[in-house]
Amino acid sequence: MNHYSGDIYYYDAFDTHLAAGMYYYTVYANDTTGNEATPMTGNFTINTQVAITLTQVPIHFGNTTIPVTDRRADNGTAGSGYSGGTIKGFPAIVNNTGNVNITLRINGTDLVGQTNGGYTVDVSGIKYYTTNNVSSAVALSTSATQFATDVTMLTPTNLYFWISLPEGLISQEYIG
């Protein structure tokens, strides 16, 4: 404990990632001559906090020719002809920054052409998985799909992405 002023002391090493629940404490004190004060007890409650952070998002696939199958999102390279510089999203990182274990779900939308909105890429043309293994990847859907359970606090979860594009799309930026 550190002296604040007068007879006030404080404890400044507090764990900011305590699990939700009620905590109890007892304070014991004595003076320099050995006189002991009556111990005092109390409690405090840490409320449930569900929170996540996302890094390496949005997901970029860069430029490609079509048709293409399972082109990965890539972080740290300029990609094939990609003029935007670093391509993000390989992997995207989901981190549980709350104080309770959580279940993670994902869903997406169709990618819509930005020059001509009549051209779209179906959301199922994007696959994702928690490891860099496209053969285990799952097609993205508009419905929320569970991909990780019981994720503990401060445990990052990687999420890798791949895209497949069919013949017949025009060259333009697609966003979804």
Side-chain angles (χ1 to χ4, degrees):
M1 295 189 68
N2 297 306
H3 184 247
Y4 178 69
S5 71
D7 60 357
I8 299 173
Y9 288 78
Y10 67 94
Y11 184 66
D12 64 355
F14 185 73
D15 184 349
T16 58
H17 298 289
L18 288 173
M22 185 169 287
Y23 291 85
Y24 299 89
Y25 62 89
T26 302
V27 176
Y28 302 89
N30 64 307
D31 62 20
T32 57
T33 61
N35 297 313
E36 294 183 2
T38 302
M40 299 296 291
T41 61
N43 65 62
F44 61 93
T45 300
I46 303 252
N47 294 322
T48 299
Q49 178 184 4
V50 176
I52 62 170
T53 57
L54 299 172
T55 54
Q56 297 198 171
V57 292
I59 310 307
H60 291 174
F61 293 98
N63 294 341
T64 188
T65 55
I66 55 174
V68 67
T69 301
D70 296 335
R71 177 182 171 85
R72 69 181 193 169
D74 195 19
N75 189 46
T77 66
S80 176
Y82 180 55
S83 61
T86 300
I87 301 170
K88 296 181 180 177
F90 201 74
I93 301 170
V94 183
N95 195 8
N96 177 3
T97 55
N99 62 5
V100 292
N101 294 2
I102 59 174
T103 296
L104 298 174
R105 293 177 177 82
I106 187 172
N107 64 294
T109 61
D110 292 344
L111 304 179
V112 177
Q114 297 302 289
T115 304
N116 182 338
Y119 289 89
T120 61
V121 175
D122 189 271
V123 69
S124 64
I126 299 171
K127 294 179 184 176
Y128 67 95
Y129 198 59
T130 55
T131 67
N132 183 8
N133 183 357
V134 69
S135 64
S136 298
V138 178
L140 194 57
S141 166
T142 56
S143 299
T145 304
Q146 181 175 300
F147 68 89
T149 60
D150 205 27
V151 177
T152 59
M153 60 181 129
L154 301 179
T155 302
T157 302
N158 291 336
L159 203 52
Y160 299 83
F161 292 90
W162 299 265
I163 191 168
S164 294
L165 299 170
E167 283 282 355
L169 291 174
I170 64 169
S171 178
Q172 64 178 328
E173 183 177 15
Y174 291 83
I175 296 178

